Every structure is written in C-alpha cells, then in structure tokens.
C-alpha cells in the first residue's frame, strides 16, 4: 500500500471513530422534508408581508419629531431583527432629519441611554457625531460618574456605542472599559431577561450582529417569523 493510500485510510478511520456532537434532536422532525404549501397560502403570506411592511414604514415615518427616542428605538429594533433592508429609504430619511435637527439640548440632555443610542445609530449610518457629547457624563476628576452604573440599560447602550470608536477617541476607549467592568459586576443582580441581553452583548459586539431587541414590536416580530417553505 502506498504512503498516500495508507494516510487516507488512517484519516478515514479517525473520522469514523470521532465522537459526534451532542446535539439534541430537532423539534421539527422531518416536517420540512415533506411539508408542502399550496399556492393560495403562499400568496396570502406574501400579502401579509406587504401589509406588515407598510405598517412598519408608517411607524417609522409618523413618530413624533419632538421625541426622537421612539424613532431611534424602532430603528434599532428593526436592525436587530434583521429586516432593515425592507425599510432602508425610510430609515435613512428619518436619521437624516434627526441628524440635522436634533441636538439633545433639553430634557434628554443628561439621558445617557438616549444619547448613546443616538450616537451609535448615526455613526453606524455614516454620520460623524463627536464623542465629546459624552464628556457631560464625567466627574470633576475626569472619570465616568459612579452614579451611571445603577442604570443598566444606559450602561449597555454606552457599551454598544463605544464599539463605534475611531482611533484616538480616548473617551470611547475609557467608556468601553468602564461599561464592560460594571456590566460584568452587575450581572448577578439583573433579572434573567436583562442578564441575557447583557451577556450576549458582552460576548458578541453589536457591530458584528443585530439580534434581540429592547422592546417587543409585534408587527416586526411577525414579519421576521413568516416561514419560507416549498410550493406544491
């Protein structure tokens, strides 16, 4: 037997004896191997998709200009659900308006959650927002205020915003360290839902993925869950 044949035989034996992964059986069984959907049902699902898309477009475009947080949270939820490609024009139009007209001068001035979300979404879409907007959250010693740590959603929002940092933006480097440390310390004190979101964020940067969401938006969730099956 040649050396190559012997090596191939040995590799085959090793692969054959390698233990399989300990995956639990699929809850679907063979359903999708044999299930067919009638053309009429497909058309109804397609119609439902279009109705939901129009509903969400309306939500994006009609939220009050006086309260951009609602728009920002909706856009964030759309992106996290992975359906933002349906609404690119509407999202871009709204973010352009927010960028041009909103400066966080009134009651939201000291809202870390809102400012961090605003900062992150605009930067993700190519708008330059100065990281100096975060200086207001530092104390007289140049450190982030200790009082910020009690607001976990705000800390998580700042943590995610800090991943949009550019070279030389020291305040965002500091924000990433600050939020990472305190989110890890507070994990055991969070409810299971919030702890799950924080754990996921700490393990996988939002810059790399959009999953989960801060609010449950029924239309978006339904749109995401409409299945794709074969046509009989």
């Amino acid at each position: 037997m040649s050396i190559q044949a012997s090596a191939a035989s040995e590799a085959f034996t090793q692969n054959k004896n390698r233990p399989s992964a300990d995956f639990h059986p699929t809850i679907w069984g063979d359903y999708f191997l044999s299930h067919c959907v009638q053309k009429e049902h497909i058309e109804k699902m397609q119609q439902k998709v279009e109705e939901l898309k129009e509903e969400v477009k309306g939500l994006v475009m009609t939220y009050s200009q006086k309260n951009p947080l609602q728009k920002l949270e909706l856009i964030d939820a759309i992106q996290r659900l992975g359906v933002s490609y349906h609404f690119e024009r509407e999202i871009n139009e709204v973010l352009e308006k927010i960028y041009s007209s909103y400066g966080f001068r009134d009651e939201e001035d000291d809202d870390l959650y809102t400012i961090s979300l605003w900062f992150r979404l605009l930067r993700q879409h190519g708008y330059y927002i100065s990281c100096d907007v975060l200086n207001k959250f530092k104390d007289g010693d140049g450190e982030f205020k200790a009082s910020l740590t009690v607001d976990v959603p705000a800390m998580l929002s700042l943590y995610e915003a800090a991943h949009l940092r550019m070279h030389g933006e020291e305040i965002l480097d500091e924000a990433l360290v600050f939020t990472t440390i305190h989110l890890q310390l507070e994990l055991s004190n969070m409810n299971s839902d919030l702890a799950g979101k924080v754990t996921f964020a700490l393990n996988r940067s939002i810059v790399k993925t959009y999953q989960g969401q801060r609010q449950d938006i029924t239309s978006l969730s339904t749109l995401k869950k409409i299945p794709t099956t074969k046509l009989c």
Side-chain angles (χ1 to χ4, degrees):
M1 181 182 294
S2 67
I3 296 177
Q4 288 183 337
S6 177
S9 177
E10 183 178 351
F12 176 79
T13 301
Q14 290 177 348
N15 287 334
K16 186 176 180 180
N17 296 330
R18 185 174 59 185
S20 59
D22 188 22
F23 296 126
H24 62 75
T26 173
I27 62 174
W28 295 105
D30 295 331
Y31 177 80
F32 288 107
L33 296 178
S34 59
H35 182 66
C36 296
V37 179
Q38 298 297 324
K39 181 179 180 181
E40 293 78 8
H41 187 48
I42 289 288
E43 291 173 348
K44 287 182 179 179
M45 287 194 295
Q46 291 173 337
Q47 181 180 353
K48 182 62 175 178
V49 168
E50 294 304 316
E51 291 174 356
L52 291 171
K53 285 167 61 177
E54 292 304 313
E55 181 180 343
V56 174
K57 286 178 182 179
L59 290 173
V60 174
M61 300 304 295
T62 59
Y63 271 6
S64 172
Q65 283 285 351
K66 295 181 180 179
N67 186 6
L69 176 58
Q70 289 181 318
K71 285 183 180 290
L72 293 171
E73 288 187 317
L74 178 60
I75 291 170
D76 187 39
I78 290 171
Q79 291 183 335
R80 290 174 185 269
L81 285 170
V83 294
S84 60
Y85 62 94
H86 289 298
F87 316 104
E88 289 182 356
R89 182 183 65 81
E90 291 78 13
I91 289 174
N92 290 334
E93 183 176 331
V94 168
L95 289 178
E96 174 63 32
K97 289 179 179 178
I98 292 175
Y99 176 75
S100 301
S101 62
Y102 200 73
F104 292 95
R105 292 183 290 273
D106 300 318
E107 66 273 7
E108 289 86 7
D109 205 32
D110 294 320
D111 183 353
L112 177 61
Y113 170 78
T114 301
I115 291 179
S116 298
L117 180 59
W118 168 76
F119 177 91
R120 173 172 63 81
L121 288 179
L122 287 174
R123 276 212 173 182
Q124 281 178 343
H125 285 79
Y127 295 97
Y128 175 72
I129 303 295
S130 173
C131 58
D132 290 343
V133 297
L134 298 174
N135 282 327
K136 68 183 70 178
F137 300 107
K138 286 193 166 187
D139 59 25
D141 296 324
E143 304 291 336
F144 279 102
K145 298 175 182 177
S147 59
L148 298 175
T149 61
V150 301
D151 188 346
V152 174
M155 290 285 286
L156 181 57
S157 186
L158 177 59
Y159 170 81
E160 293 175 335
H163 283 86
L164 274 295
R165 67 194 187 281
M166 296 184 289
H167 179 70
E169 293 184 319
E170 294 183 3
I171 190 171
L172 292 178
D173 292 333
E174 295 168 6
L176 186 59
V177 173
F178 174 75
T179 52
T180 300
I181 290 173
H182 288 285
L183 286 172
Q184 290 174 335
L185 289 174
E186 289 296 320
L187 264 177
S188 61
N189 300 322
M190 300 175 195
N191 62 54
S192 58
D193 181 58
L194 185 56
K197 292 178 181 179
V198 170
T199 300
F200 184 88
L202 291 173
N203 291 332
R204 189 171 179 83
S205 165
I206 195 170
V207 176
K208 299 177 181 178
T209 187
Y210 290 113
Q211 294 187 23
Q213 64 182 67
R214 189 169 184 265
Q215 290 179 299
D216 177 36
I217 299 180
T218 304
S219 296
L220 290 175
S221 299
T222 305
L223 180 61
K224 177 70 174 179
K225 293 175 182 175
I226 290 179
T228 300
T229 52
K230 63 182 179 179
L231 179 65
C232 292

